[in-house]
């Protein structure tokens, strides 16, 4: 948690370099001539509190939350518009202040509360561009659920932005003080200019410029703020993050069955009736957190199936906990189809509400937790690989339980999406096409248009790790890009052995056709398991598709053209 809070704070500081901060600046500078402690500090504190609360609610994703937040934005717009008009016309300010003046001794307290109220309104209106760090915070909060722990990173993010704004405001306050000392006329001009700037900011936000044009400038340019945020994330790899607090708590729990008791939070079960401490008493359990569109999870399945079969009679139970990343993975029918197609016969707990995920304090897909015959977590492993060490741990726990476990190690060979990762590193990282997590790399001229049906121009020449939409119209939603017409295209320059794409057919479920090209030509022998040598394929379900499988890791230009409307495209992953 300390590392995440520091990362969130630094991400907030970097928002001062983003175009999306521009609509907020007039509200912060409108009272730059007033004392910072009495006016600037309460305003910024209100902004931090309002944004932290609004962002935490938004991460829950409920429709009632969206309606509540939209109502709050409208109220805040009205309050700030009134504030701007008061700056322009002193008589209006005097009239608005009459009720407070009647309060006599309470006037001072009311005046001190005014900047805080303005800050709360500003925080409700502020919509920062979704960079890598904010995307990490939104995803983490959605997984963790509503709690103080999920709200703290948003407060830290807002505090970082407020710190940067405070410095800028202090400098602006000094300039305002100099102008005031120079002449009263200059002070009057400054006051009226501030009023006009506030009204312009209100108009810009009401017109959607803060989430439209300015967001496109940030997402489309791949500017310095995004680059710095990505550099911070790259330095903080999962191995350097704090150990999950929930895991530490389970290890220290007096109740030995605490890990297995968490299974009561499952929203459903596949291949098994509900399981808990009573049903699993005396067994060694390997708990695997996975989701069926995750390539790293899919590549662990050959070993999981082999272990389940080899050690079943010795008392091992492999137990999958399916915790979804995308909304379509919450549908039981989709998971059941994936379990059947992937040949999984061991029990799978559906964790749609992230109850088991949170109980374990988990953060990663895939994640293995090794539970001994007494119900205690003895070991954990995050990410794919390390299979020999994992199997030896299983053998050790079975031996401690007095079970005769078969010797030797399994050597399964996965096929298609379940084949092992390449020997060479994949230099390209995951690319999300939804605007909530799309950060940098988007190269289509004019930038990205969030939540709007837009045709996109032909893709430009792409540099490594850049991608572009073209054709359409496309509608880029929070977690996916939705093709509204036929002949939409996506181009991406990548460096890896394999390329996978999480996508699905139209909302009606009707299969759709697509064509893939590499460097402008059919892929030939470099085609993945879900297309042929000519690059032709068909999307008939929402899942991960392997589209490129090369002999080694190298740089290529990937293009996919959808021949039918309705494609739902979520993310590129590599291997």
């Amino acid at each position: 948690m300390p590392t995440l809070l520091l990362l969130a704070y630094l991400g907030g500081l970097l928002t001062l370099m983003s175009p999306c901060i521009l609509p907020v600046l007039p509200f912060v500078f409108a009272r730059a001539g007033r004392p910072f402690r009495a006016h600037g500090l309460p305003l910024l504190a209100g902004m931090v509190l309002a944004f932290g609360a609004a962002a935490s609610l938004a991460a829950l994703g409920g429709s009632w939350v969206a309606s509540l937040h939209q109502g709050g934005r409208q109220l805040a717009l009205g309050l700030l518009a009134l504030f701007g008009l008061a700056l322009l016309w002193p008589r209006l300010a005097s009239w608005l202040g009459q009720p407070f003046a009647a309060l006599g001794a309470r006037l001072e307290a009311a005046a001190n509360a005014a900047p805080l109220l303005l800050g709360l309104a500003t925080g409700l209106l502020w919509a920062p561009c979704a960079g890598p760090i904010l995307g990490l915070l939104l995803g983490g909060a959605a997984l963790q659920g509503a709690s103080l722990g999920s709200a703290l990173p948003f407060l830290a993010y807002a505090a970082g932005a407020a710190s940067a704004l405070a410095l800028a405001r202090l400098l602006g306050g000094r300039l305002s003080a100099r102008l005031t000392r120079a002449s009263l006329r200059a002070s009057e001009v400054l006051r009226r200019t501030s009023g006009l700037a506030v009204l312009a900011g209100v108009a810009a936000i009401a017109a959607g410029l803060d989430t439209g044009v300015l967001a496109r400038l940030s997402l489309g340019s791949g500017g310095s703020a995004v680059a710095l945020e990505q550099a911070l994330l790259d330095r903080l790899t999962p191995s350097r993050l704090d150990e999950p607090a929930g895991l530490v708590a389970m290890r220290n729990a007096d109740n030995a069955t605490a890990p297995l008791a968490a299974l009561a939070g499952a929203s459903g079960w596949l291949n098994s009736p509900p399981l808990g401490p009573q049903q699993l008493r005396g067994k060694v359990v390997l708990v695997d957190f996975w989701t069926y569109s995750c390539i790293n999870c899919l590549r662990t399945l050959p070993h999981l199936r082999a272990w389940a079969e080899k050690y079943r009679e010795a008392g091992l139970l492999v137990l999958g906990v399916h915790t979804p990343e995308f909304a379509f993975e919450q549908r039981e029918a989709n998971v059941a189809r994936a379990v059947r197609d992937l040949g999984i016969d061991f029990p799978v707990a559906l964790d749609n509400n992230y109850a088991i995920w949170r109980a374990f304090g988990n953060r990663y897909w895939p994640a293995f937790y090794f539970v001994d015959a007494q119900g205690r977590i003895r070991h954990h492993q995050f990410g794919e690989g390390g299979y020999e060490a994992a199997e030896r741990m299983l053998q050790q726990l079975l031996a401690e339980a007095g079970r005769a476990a078969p010797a030797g190690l399994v050597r399964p060979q996965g096929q298609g999406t379940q084949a092992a990762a390449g020997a060479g590193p994949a230099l390209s990282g995951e690319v999300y096409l939804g605007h909530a997590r799309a950060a940098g790399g988007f190269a289509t001229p004019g930038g990205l248009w969030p939540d709007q049906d837009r045709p996109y121009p032909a893709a430009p020449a792409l540099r490594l790790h850049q991608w572009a939409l073209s054709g359409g119209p496309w509608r880029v939603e929070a977690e996916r890009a939705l093709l509204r017409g036929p002949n939409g295209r996506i181009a991406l320059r990548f460096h890896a052995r394999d390329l996978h794409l999480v996508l699905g057919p139209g909302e009606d479920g009707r299969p759709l056709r697509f064509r893939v090209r590499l460097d402008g030509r059919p892929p030939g022998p470099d085609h993945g398991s879900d297309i042929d040598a000519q690059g032709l394929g068909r999307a008939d379900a929402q899942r991960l598709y392997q589209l490129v499988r090369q002999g080694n890791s190298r740089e290529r230009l990937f293009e996919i053209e959808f021949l039918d409307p309705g494609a739902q495209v979520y993310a590129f992953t590599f291997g």
Side-chain angles (χ1 to χ4, degrees), residues 308-496:
E309 180 179 355
K310 178 179 178 180
Y311 299 108
R312 182 177 290 115
E313 296 301 322
L316 172 69
L317 178 77
V318 176
L319 195 159
V321 177
H322 185 273
T323 310
E325 180 178 13
F326 299 110
F328 67 81
E329 294 174 306
Q330 295 181 351
R331 300 172 190 159
E332 183 171 343
N334 287 351
V335 184
R337 174 175 176 170
V339 166
R340 181 178 64 253
D341 293 345
L342 295 170
I344 297 173
D345 61 358
F346 50 79
V348 175
L350 303 181
D351 191 27
N352 286 350
N353 300 320
Y354 304 96
I356 307 174
W357 177 286
R358 290 195 295 269
F360 274 74
N362 188 51
R363 296 177 184 168
Y364 313 111
W365 293 285
F368 294 165
Y369 293 89
F370 300 77
V371 183
D372 66 18
Q374 283 71 48
R376 299 169 300 189
I377 294 179
R378 295 285 299 279
H379 184 64
H380 67 271
Q381 177 178 309
F382 302 139
E384 59 181 308
Y387 300 118
E388 291 189 8
E391 186 169 1
R392 295 191 190 282
M393 174 56 63
L394 294 175
Q395 292 173 342
Q396 175 186 327
L397 296 180
L398 290 169
E400 290 178 4
R403 305 298 180 87
L409 301 175
V410 300
R411 304 287 182 185
Q413 299 296 318
Q415 302 296 321
T417 58
Q418 299 179 48
L427 300 184
S428 294
E430 283 183 298
V431 175
Y432 291 90
L433 278 72
H435 65 73
R437 301 175 72 178
F442 186 74
T444 298
L448 195 66
W449 292 85
D451 298 314
Q452 300 183 49
D453 290 351
R454 291 275 181 170
Y456 286 84
L462 300 178
R463 299 191 301 273
L464 184 61
H465 309 317
Q466 285 189 325
W467 62 283
L469 299 172
S470 59
W474 289 92
R475 182 177 182 85
V476 180
E477 300 176 347
E479 72 170 20
R480 66 180 181 177
L482 178 62
L483 180 61
R484 295 294 202 182
N487 301 318
R489 293 172 292 279
I490 306 174
L492 167 72
R493 185 168 290 277
F494 73 100
H495 192 300

Side-chain angles (χ1 to χ4, degrees), residues 93-418:
S94 177
W95 180 78
L96 291 173
Q98 286 179 3
F100 297 106
L103 295 177
R106 298 182 182 179
L107 175 60
E108 183 177 357
N112 290 336
L116 179 63
L117 293 175
L118 292 175
L120 291 171
T122 304
L124 285 174
L125 295 178
W126 181 42
C129 299
I133 292 178
L134 185 57
L136 173 68
L137 301 184
L138 289 168
L143 295 176
Q144 188 174 350
S147 69
L148 178 61
S150 62
L152 284 177
F154 289 116
L155 291 173
Y157 186 90
S163 299
L165 289 171
L167 179 60
R169 189 191 182 282
L170 286 171
L171 296 176
R174 293 181 180 180
L175 175 61
S176 175
R178 291 182 181 179
L179 290 174
T180 301
R181 288 193 298 268
S183 71
L184 292 175
R185 183 177 180 182
S187 178
E188 178 70 12
V189 170
L190 180 62
R191 180 178 60 79
R192 292 183 178 274
T193 301
S194 298
L196 289 173
V198 168
L199 292 176
V202 169
I205 293 172
L209 294 181
D210 59 330
T211 56
V213 175
L214 295 178
R216 290 190 297 109
L217 287 175
S218 178
L219 291 170
S221 63
S224 56
V226 170
L228 287 172
E229 286 191 36
Q230 191 61 55
L232 286 171
L233 285 176
D234 291 342
R235 290 184 65 85
L236 292 171
T237 58
S239 61
R240 300 167 101 176
L241 291 175
D242 308 305
E243 186 177 51
L247 175 57
V248 175
M250 280 191 173
R251 282 177 168 171
N252 298 331
D254 294 331
N255 181 6
T257 62
L260 301 181
L263 298 174
S267 55
W269 288 83
L270 298 173
N271 296 339
S272 171
L275 299 175
Q278 184 175 356
Q279 293 81 11
L280 299 176
R281 182 178 300 155
K283 287 186 175 293
V284 173
V285 181
L286 175 58
V287 178
D288 167 43
F289 283 90
W290 71 297
T291 186
Y292 80 83
S293 71
C294 164
I295 183 59
N296 307 95
C297 301
L298 296 179
R299 290 197 290 239
T300 66
L301 289 178
H303 282 84
L304 289 168
R305 288 195 302 265
W307 292 335
E309 180 179 355
K310 178 179 178 180
Y311 299 108
R312 182 177 290 115
E313 296 301 322
L316 172 69
L317 178 77
V318 176
L319 195 159
V321 177
H322 185 273
T323 310
E325 180 178 13
F326 299 110
F328 67 81
E329 294 174 306
Q330 295 181 351
R331 300 172 190 159
E332 183 171 343
N334 287 351
V335 184
R337 174 175 176 170
V339 166
R340 181 178 64 253
D341 293 345
L342 295 170
I344 297 173
D345 61 358
F346 50 79
V348 175
L350 303 181
D351 191 27
N352 286 350
N353 300 320
Y354 304 96
I356 307 174
W357 177 286
R358 290 195 295 269
F360 274 74
N362 188 51
R363 296 177 184 168
Y364 313 111
W365 293 285
F368 294 165
Y369 293 89
F370 300 77
V371 183
D372 66 18
Q374 283 71 48
R376 299 169 300 189
I377 294 179
R378 295 285 299 279
H379 184 64
H380 67 271
Q381 177 178 309
F382 302 139
E384 59 181 308
Y387 300 118
E388 291 189 8
E391 186 169 1
R392 295 191 190 282
M393 174 56 63
L394 294 175
Q395 292 173 342
Q396 175 186 327
L397 296 180
L398 290 169
E400 290 178 4
R403 305 298 180 87
L409 301 175
V410 300
R411 304 287 182 185
Q413 299 296 318
Q415 302 296 321
T417 58
Q418 299 179 48

